[in-house]
Short mmCIF file of all heavy atoms in Angstrom, two decimals:
data_model
loop_
_atom_site.label_atom_id
_atom_site.label_comp_id
_atom_site.label_asym_id
_atom_site.label_seq_id
_atom_site.Cartn_x
_atom_site.Cartn_y
_atom_site.Cartn_z
N ILE A 902 37.08 3.39 -16.61
CA ILE A 902 38.06 2.30 -16.57
C ILE A 902 38.22 1.83 -15.13
O ILE A 902 38.40 2.63 -14.23
CB ILE A 902 39.42 2.79 -17.11
CG1 ILE A 902 39.28 3.32 -18.53
CG2 ILE A 902 40.47 1.69 -17.05
CD1 ILE A 902 38.90 2.30 -19.56
N PRO A 903 38.17 0.53 -14.91
CA PRO A 903 38.23 0.03 -13.53
C PRO A 903 39.61 0.19 -12.92
O PRO A 903 40.61 0.25 -13.63
CB PRO A 903 37.91 -1.45 -13.69
CG PRO A 903 38.31 -1.77 -15.08
CD PRO A 903 38.04 -0.54 -15.89
N LEU A 904 39.66 0.22 -11.61
CA LEU A 904 40.93 0.23 -10.90
C LEU A 904 41.62 -1.11 -11.05
O LEU A 904 40.96 -2.13 -11.17
CB LEU A 904 40.67 0.49 -9.41
CG LEU A 904 40.11 1.87 -9.11
CD1 LEU A 904 39.75 1.93 -7.64
CD2 LEU A 904 41.11 2.94 -9.46
N PRO A 905 42.94 -1.10 -11.03
CA PRO A 905 43.65 -2.37 -11.18
C PRO A 905 43.53 -3.27 -9.96
O PRO A 905 43.73 -4.44 -10.03
CB PRO A 905 45.11 -1.94 -11.39
CG PRO A 905 45.20 -0.59 -10.77
CD PRO A 905 43.85 0.03 -10.93
N SER A 906 43.27 -2.70 -8.81
CA SER A 906 43.06 -3.54 -7.63
C SER A 906 42.33 -2.71 -6.61
O SER A 906 42.12 -1.53 -6.79
CB SER A 906 44.40 -4.01 -7.05
OG SER A 906 45.02 -2.93 -6.43
N LYS A 907 41.98 -3.34 -5.50
CA LYS A 907 41.20 -2.64 -4.49
C LYS A 907 41.97 -1.47 -3.89
O LYS A 907 43.13 -1.60 -3.54
CB LYS A 907 40.81 -3.60 -3.38
CG LYS A 907 39.67 -4.49 -3.80
CD LYS A 907 39.23 -5.35 -2.65
CE LYS A 907 38.14 -6.31 -3.12
NZ LYS A 907 37.81 -7.26 -2.08
N THR A 908 41.35 -0.35 -3.79
CA THR A 908 41.96 0.81 -3.15
C THR A 908 40.88 1.40 -2.28
O THR A 908 39.71 1.06 -2.41
CB THR A 908 42.36 1.87 -4.19
OG1 THR A 908 41.17 2.43 -4.72
CG2 THR A 908 43.20 1.30 -5.31
N PRO A 909 41.26 2.30 -1.37
CA PRO A 909 40.23 2.89 -0.52
C PRO A 909 39.11 3.53 -1.34
O PRO A 909 37.96 3.55 -0.94
CB PRO A 909 41.01 3.95 0.27
CG PRO A 909 42.43 3.51 0.21
CD PRO A 909 42.59 2.74 -1.06
N GLU A 910 39.47 4.08 -2.51
CA GLU A 910 38.45 4.76 -3.32
C GLU A 910 37.58 3.79 -4.10
O GLU A 910 36.57 4.14 -4.65
CB GLU A 910 39.11 5.70 -4.33
CG GLU A 910 39.85 6.86 -3.71
CD GLU A 910 41.31 6.54 -3.49
OE1 GLU A 910 41.66 5.36 -3.30
OE2 GLU A 910 42.10 7.50 -3.47
N ALA A 911 38.02 2.56 -4.23
CA ALA A 911 37.27 1.63 -5.07
C ALA A 911 37.20 0.27 -4.39
O ALA A 911 38.08 -0.55 -4.54
CB ALA A 911 37.97 1.49 -6.42
N THR A 912 36.17 0.10 -3.61
CA THR A 912 36.09 -1.16 -2.88
C THR A 912 35.17 -2.14 -3.58
O THR A 912 35.18 -3.32 -3.29
CB THR A 912 35.58 -0.91 -1.44
OG1 THR A 912 34.48 -0.03 -1.52
CG2 THR A 912 36.67 -0.32 -0.56
N SER A 913 34.36 -1.66 -4.52
CA SER A 913 33.48 -2.60 -5.22
C SER A 913 34.12 -3.03 -6.54
O SER A 913 34.93 -2.29 -7.10
CB SER A 913 32.14 -1.94 -5.48
OG SER A 913 32.36 -0.73 -6.14
#
Side-chain angles (χ1 to χ4, degrees):
I902 302 294
L904 294 173
S906 73
K907 283 185 184 173
T908 69
E910 295 92 332
T912 45
S913 54

